[in-house]
Amino acid sequence: KKSKFNGAHDCLRHDMNLFAEDLFSHAMSCAQIERRMELVRVVSHNTHKKMVSCLQGHIGADAEKRHKKLPLTALSQAMIEGGNQLGEDSLIGKMMEVCGEAENRLASELMQHELQIEKDVLDPLSQLAEVEIPNILKQRKQLAKLVLDYDSARARWLQATKSIISGTNTQALTAKADLLKEEVDEAMNKVELCKDQLAADMYSFFSKEGDYAHYFVTLLEAQADYHRKSLTVLESVLPTIQAQQGIRYDTHSPDTFS
């Protein structure tokens, strides 16, 4: 009986060793991927922080509150109020009023631009750096814990099998070893499930790298659109200003005055 048990024991131990080697190989590859993900997290976090510092409005505020807090809005109000105080008979007053309205339109364009940046770039970057990557890294730590649990269960089981070979109360020792074997199998299943889920999440993360990279393309596209709209506002008001000053403005050649 001991001879048969020894053969089964050796076969099972071989399977366990293969599983342990597979875990080691997986742990090494996961460690490499983990370092890459952590670097992506840090870079995304730092970029998000610097991008927020470029905003003139208050992040998270609604459109109306954001518009009111913009420096351009305050400038617009000051110019319009100054124009009203100087009156319609003052050329300076007229210019301040017209320019104040233009600054208010520019403030509106800036407000819409920053809302878009927050929605299409800042929020996704924050989600990536503060939620998605940390959640995957937590799974990595959970896998490491489950591997330790498996190693501990396996060590107890191996010790129990050795006791069977050298012991006298074979039946009791075998029953104990069988229970420990169930613990090993359960621990192994938990490791496999966690490993598969972690691998799937990591694959999903890297398959979306193009999407993550596109956040920065979106930033430049939004900035280009904002500047085009702002330029349109300025070009629409300049002829009015020049006309009020008694200067003919050539709309076909904006740099030509007579």
Side-chain angles (χ1 to χ4, degrees):
K1 288 184 179 179
K2 284 188 177 181
S3 177
K4 285 185 178 181
F5 179 83
N6 287 343
H9 173 264
D10 291 341
C11 182
L12 187 55
R13 176 177 287 186
H14 176 71
D15 291 341
M16 292 294 186
N17 287 336
L18 289 177
F19 179 71
E21 290 174 3
D22 177 62
L23 281 179
F24 177 77
S25 175
H26 183 270
M28 289 297 291
S29 61
C30 280
Q32 294 171 346
I33 296 173
E34 182 181 2
R35 287 193 293 271
R36 171 76 178 279
M37 294 181 68
E38 176 62 18
L39 181 58
V40 172
R41 187 197 69 79
V42 171
V43 169
S44 299
H45 173 81
N46 291 339
T47 303
H48 179 276
K49 184 177 179 180
K50 296 301 182 183
M51 205 179 297
V52 169
S53 69
C54 292
L55 300 182
Q56 296 186 42
H58 292 271
I59 189 169
D62 59 33
E64 183 178 355
K65 289 183 179 179
R66 189 186 293 263
H67 186 273
K68 286 182 179 179
K69 296 294 183 179
L70 287 175
L72 278 176
T73 303
L75 172 62
S76 168
Q77 293 172 346
M79 295 176 78
I80 292 174
E81 290 173 2
N84 290 333
Q85 291 172 358
L86 290 171
E88 295 183 359
D89 295 335
S90 168
L91 180 59
I92 296 178
K94 289 181 179 180
M95 289 303 98
M96 290 185 70
E97 187 174 353
V98 174
C99 291
E101 293 294 340
E103 294 296 339
N104 188 56
R105 291 172 60 190
L106 289 174
S108 295
E109 294 295 345
L110 179 59
M111 177 267 296
Q112 293 295 338
H113 168 64
E114 291 193 352
L115 284 174
Q116 181 186 356
I117 291 298
E118 184 176 342
K119 174 178 175 291
D120 295 340
V121 182
L122 287 172
D123 287 350
L125 268 183
S126 178
Q127 179 73 12
L128 175 64
E130 312 303 334
V131 179
E132 293 181 18
I133 294 179
N135 284 343
I136 296 176
L137 295 179
K138 284 179 183 177
Q139 282 192 57
R140 175 75 176 85
K141 292 179 180 180
Q142 176 64 15
L143 176 60
K145 179 182 180 300
L146 291 174
V147 169
L148 289 177
D149 292 342
Y150 163 78
D151 288 340
S152 177
R154 181 170 177 263
R156 291 195 302 272
W157 172 75
L158 289 173
Q159 183 61 42
T161 59
K162 290 179 182 178
S163 299
I164 295 174
I165 298 173
S166 59
T168 55
N169 191 357
T170 305
Q171 185 174 359
L173 292 174
T174 300
K176 180 180 178 181
D178 289 342
L179 290 175
L180 290 173
K181 177 59 172 59
E182 291 179 3
E183 290 184 18
V184 171
D185 291 341
E186 183 179 355
M188 182 188 296
N189 289 334
K190 288 181 179 180
V191 168
E192 288 288 2
L193 288 174
C194 186
K195 186 173 69 172
D196 290 344
Q197 184 61 52
L198 178 61
D201 290 344
M202 285 184 169
Y203 174 79
S204 176
F205 171 82
F206 284 106
S207 68
K208 295 178 181 177
E209 189 163 347
D211 296 335
Y212 303 142
H214 191 69
Y215 297 154
F216 304 102
V217 179
T218 300
L219 171 65
L220 294 184
E221 290 174 343
Q223 288 174 325
D225 185 57
Y226 160 67
H227 287 297
R228 279 193 294 266
K229 290 179 177 178
S230 297
L231 180 59
T232 299
V233 170
L234 294 172
E235 289 180 334
S236 68
V237 75
L238 281 173
T240 302
I241 293 175
Q242 298 296 341
Q244 289 188 0
Q245 288 184 316
I247 301 176
R248 183 169 62 83
Y249 182 73
D250 186 351
T251 56
H252 297 289
S253 301
D255 294 328
T256 303
F257 300 90
S258 60

